[in-house]
Amino acid sequence: MNGRVGVAGKTRVCPHCKTTILESASVCPGCQHHLRFDRNSNVESRTQPTFSALRVEGAFRNPAGADSWEYSVVVSIRNDRGEEVARKVVGVGALDPRESRTVTLSVDVFAPRGSK
Ligand SMILES: [Zn+2]
């Protein structure tokens, strides 16, 4: 039974990109495909109100020079006690002189109806 109290944080695998996502998601945050709902899903989980908890964006640039740079983008999540609960290398790559990259980190929060 889905959609009842106590299932927060339940996950499934996106059939398109194989990312682990929330079962309640109607759009995959990874590949942004709309997801079909199986018959166990209910209407409430489809219409969960959401808000953006944070969005951080920054850019970095290799100034004109001879050498290429390498970079890695890492995201980590810590709990109240400062313990790391997740850590992921999102991407790595090379940056030629005069090239730049922009990294955007966004956190969406899904607040079930009736919770305060
Ligand atoms: Zn996906």
Side-chain angles (χ1 to χ4, degrees):
M1 300 292 262
N2 296 333
R4 68 191 162 85
V5 178
V7 297
K10 224 174 160 196
T11 59
R12 62 172 162 161
V13 173
C14 172
H16 304 287
C17 67
K18 309 300 178 205
T19 300
T20 299
I21 61 173
L22 289 170
E23 194 176 75
S24 57
S26 56
V27 177
C28 172
C31 64
Q32 300 183 325
H33 271 94
H34 284 264
L35 301 163
R36 230 191 6 239
F37 277 86
D38 56 59
R39 61 188 114 75
N40 293 323
S41 295
N42 63 16
V43 176
E44 271 155 61
S45 67
R46 253 175 275 187
T47 56
Q48 276 190 342
T50 71
F51 64 92
S52 178
L54 68 90
R55 185 181 168 91
V56 181
E57 192 169 275
F60 53 102
R61 180 180 181 82
N62 186 347
D67 297 325
S68 294
W69 290 357
E70 292 179 308
Y71 65 89
S72 58
V73 179
V74 180
V75 176
S76 90
I77 305 171
R78 291 199 308 269
N79 65 16
D80 295 338
R81 297 184 296 276
E83 299 159 348
E84 199 167 64
V85 295
R87 182 181 183 85
K88 202 150 232 174
V89 178
V90 176
V92 299
L95 205 59
D96 288 331
R98 284 191 285 270
E99 269 193 334
S100 67
R101 295 287 185 274
T102 301
V103 176
T104 306
L105 168 71
S106 61
V107 178
D108 294 319
V109 174
F110 306 88
R113 258 168 239 294
S115 71
K116 281 270 150 67

